[in-house]
Amino acid sequence: IRALGEDDHGLDAVEASATVEMLLEVLPPRERRIVELRYMQGMTQSRIAELVGVSQVQVSRLLRSSLAKMRSSLSDVDGSCAV
């Protein structure tokens, strides 16, 4: 039995997942796919480059740009940056 007021880590995970999904929606489809392949499927930048048809350097740049967009969107939503 859980104590009243105890942190629910499962709820935290659900909230984090919902936040990530919301932030991914701000990205164009190609950038979203690249972020999902890298961080959700654990692919290397080189493998992503092969799949998407761009250079590994371009994948790196797109990831950096995409994460910046996501951070900015998070800041816009709650006034802080937690990504």
Side-chain angles (χ1 to χ4, degrees):
I1 297 177
R2 292 186 167 205
L4 188 58
E6 183 178 309
D7 286 340
D8 184 344
H9 299 293
L11 179 59
D12 293 341
V14 169
E15 288 176 345
S17 179
T19 299
V20 169
E21 283 299 318
M22 177 201 61
L23 293 172
L24 285 169
E25 290 177 11
V26 305
L27 301 176
R30 182 174 76 162
E31 290 179 34
R32 180 183 175 127
R33 181 172 182 225
I34 288 170
V35 170
E36 289 173 340
L37 291 172
R38 180 69 182 114
Y39 296 106
M40 295 175 179
Q41 295 186 24
M43 287 189 186
T44 65
Q45 290 183 8
S46 296
R47 179 68 181 127
I48 295 167
E50 291 174 16
L51 288 173
V52 177
V54 299
S55 71
Q56 180 273 321
V57 171
Q58 185 66 14
V59 169
S60 180
R61 289 178 182 148
L62 287 167
L63 284 169
R64 186 172 41 250
S65 169
S66 297
L67 294 176
K69 287 177 189 176
M70 293 170 72
R71 280 187 197 101
S72 177
S73 292
L74 183 60
S75 295
D76 292 345
V77 169
D78 71 3
S80 66
C81 183
V83 173

